[in-house]
Amino acid sequence: MSAVMHILRTYFPKWCLPRPDRQSQKHLQHHIFRQLQTNHPTTALVEIKPSTEQVFPKCRFMQYRRANEHLKRLGMVSEDGNKMVELSSITCAAPNMMDFIHQKYSMDNLQDSVEFMTIEDVEDVDLSLLPPIDSPGKIIGIDCNYVDNCDEQHISIPREPSFHVKFATSITGALDNIKAHSLAKHIDYGCQLAVVMGKKCREVTPKEALNHVFGFMVVQDIVARDWNALLGGHSMDTFLPLGPTIVHRCHVPDVNNLWIKTFINGEERQSGNTRNMIFKVDFLIHRLSQYLTLCPGDIILTGTPAGAGAYRQPSCFLKPGDLIESEIQNLGRMCNKVVNPYS
């Protein structure tokens, strides 16, 4: 319990906490967004010191609601997590991520305009963080796309990618609870790099594939291993935490060299790097586009490194009370608690 409280004190501002705790935790000023510009692996209990350098918000997009409002808003946050701007009320930007991607907004123009916008301190804004995208047309995942993940399963490296699908109703936020459905006894985790498409494409070449990408984000592909994937094993409600932001591809110079980590209750369970992908992002987009049309807002999950609970000795599945931290270099950190389905 003390480890959990230390994580909360280190990474969560007051607006990230459940409502009953906000008044008693006003002194908490550190932000989950501070992980956005992490360049070296951290452990779950290392305190991140705030940067003294002021930076303008960049193309790291979040969806949120302000306190006592039902209106969804779109904003950008700075690399150090200190500053934010709201786009949906002061620019021509749409108020939600899906419509914003379809707008094909110029990132250069948007970035040039930031200094003329109202810049707010994140810690002074009472808001609820939402999933950065919540209504994609397609969510497609790949199985066994890391060498070490194949090794732990004692299977040979695949020669062709194998895909599965998830449904949008499984999406939940970077700080939201994951429900341990009573019908699922073997609930497993797997931190993944997610690709968010920005342009419609069909039969695109690997060389041109990344030009059709909008950005990248962190996801946890939660799965009930005792359920058939097509009957809901991958797609139960709350089984796809994602966020906290979508980082535009212009801020991810090398998507094939990002470390990935998962902690369960403070214990490191996964530690990998996207350079160990068997099928790289450009090839996955190319291959999928041979079968179907990829559309703006579609999400591609690119696989998870070794360390999932099913392949540990002994196996170790998720249960109510577990705290899952998911982190990818430069993209951010999520923190989700597993809860009873009736809570």
Side-chain angles (χ1 to χ4, degrees):
M1 185 64 180
S2 60
V4 174
M5 293 307 297
H6 184 89
I7 291 171
L8 293 177
R9 291 191 181 99
T10 304
Y11 297 116
F12 283 67
K14 58 187 177 184
W15 48 266
C16 293
L17 295 172
R19 282 283 175 183
D21 295 333
R22 287 191 181 179
Q23 295 302 318
S24 62
Q25 300 291 343
K26 288 183 178 180
H27 65 284
L28 301 180
Q29 301 299 322
H30 296 286
H31 318 297
I32 197 170
F33 292 128
R34 289 204 194 287
Q35 293 297 317
L36 292 176
Q37 192 60 13
T38 306
N39 289 314
H40 302 285
T42 61
T43 62
L45 302 181
V46 171
E47 183 175 359
I48 305 300
K49 296 181 179 180
S51 171
T52 56
E53 181 182 357
Q54 179 176 345
V55 228
F56 285 115
K58 294 194 174 181
C59 300
R60 300 169 182 270
F61 300 96
M62 63 175 179
Q63 290 189 141
Y64 61 95
R65 288 192 180 96
R66 291 183 182 267
N68 304 317
E69 288 187 356
H70 295 288
L71 181 67
K72 185 187 300 182
R73 298 175 183 269
L74 182 69
M76 291 196 307
V77 66
S78 60
E79 289 179 341
D80 64 359
N82 282 323
K83 304 294 182 181
M84 61 170 284
V85 295
E86 182 177 314
L87 302 177
S88 46
S89 64
I90 57 176
T91 69
C92 296
N96 66 80
M97 182 57 67
M98 278 296 294
D99 289 344
F100 179 72
I101 293 174
H102 279 279
Q103 282 183 317
K104 299 180 180 178
Y105 220 101
S106 168
M107 294 300 117
D108 289 338
N109 291 343
L110 186 60
Q111 201 60 60
D112 291 341
S113 303
V114 167
E115 60 182 292
F116 304 107
M117 300 179 186
T118 301
I119 299 176
E120 300 176 275
D121 289 331
V122 173
E123 62 186 27
D124 293 336
V125 182
D126 189 2
L127 58 83
S128 297
L129 189 65
L130 302 174
I133 187 168
D134 50 22
S135 55
K138 293 183 284 295
I139 305 172
I140 305 171
I142 181 173
D143 304 307
C144 304
N145 196 31
Y146 281 77
V147 175
D148 57 356
N149 182 233
C150 294
D151 291 342
E152 70 176 353
Q153 298 182 59
H154 307 292
I155 61 176
S156 57
I157 294 175
R159 305 176 77 174
E160 295 289 337
S162 172
F163 299 100
H164 65 267
V165 297
K166 291 179 79 89
F167 304 128
T169 49
S170 65
I171 290 176
T172 193
L175 303 172
D176 294 335
N177 292 335
I178 297 169
K179 291 186 177 181
H181 295 270
S182 56
L183 295 176
K185 306 303 180 185
H186 296 160
I187 302 175
D188 211 349
Y189 54 86
C191 187
Q192 304 197 21
L193 169 76
V195 180
V196 181
M197 299 304 297
K199 298 179 183 177
K200 187 175 182 178
C201 65
R202 182 78 165 90
E203 297 183 345
V204 68
T205 65
K207 185 177 180 180
E208 293 295 323
L210 291 179
N211 293 332
H212 293 77
V213 170
F214 177 81
F216 304 95
M217 62 181 173
V218 185
V219 303
Q220 264 290 347
D221 184 11
I222 306 297
V223 56
R225 295 199 181 275
D226 49 342
W227 272 68
N228 184 290
L230 296 178
L231 296 178
H234 279 278
S235 292
M236 292 183 176
D237 290 352
T238 73
F239 271 26
L240 189 63
L242 49 83
T245 65
I246 296 176
V247 181
H248 191 266
R249 61 185 172 89
C250 66
H251 294 308
V252 188
D254 187 3
V255 72
N256 293 317
N257 188 21
L258 302 173
W259 52 258
I260 299 176
K261 287 184 176 290
T262 298
F263 298 89
I264 307 295
N265 301 326
E267 176 192 358
E268 184 178 295
R269 295 283 185 86
Q270 290 186 295
S271 181
N273 194 292
T274 57
R275 63 171 171 263
N276 295 322
M277 283 185 189
I278 299 167
F279 306 105
K280 306 299 185 185
V281 173
D282 53 358
F283 180 82
L284 292 176
I285 296 171
H286 157 71
R287 177 53 60 92
L288 284 169
S289 74
Q290 307 306 303
Y291 308 135
L292 47 82
T293 300
L294 293 172
C295 300
D298 285 351
I299 298 173
I300 302 173
L301 313 181
T302 59
T304 191
Y311 309 117
R312 296 175 66 84
Q313 298 297 329
S315 58
C316 188
F317 296 106
L318 296 172
K319 61 186 183 303
D322 286 344
L323 187 71
I324 310 171
E325 292 177 276
S326 319
E327 185 174 6
I328 299 181
Q329 181 181 2
N330 290 349
L331 301 186
R333 172 183 288 237
M334 302 191 300
C335 191
N336 305 97
K337 187 176 182 179
V338 182
V339 300
N340 186 290
Y342 305 108
S343 61

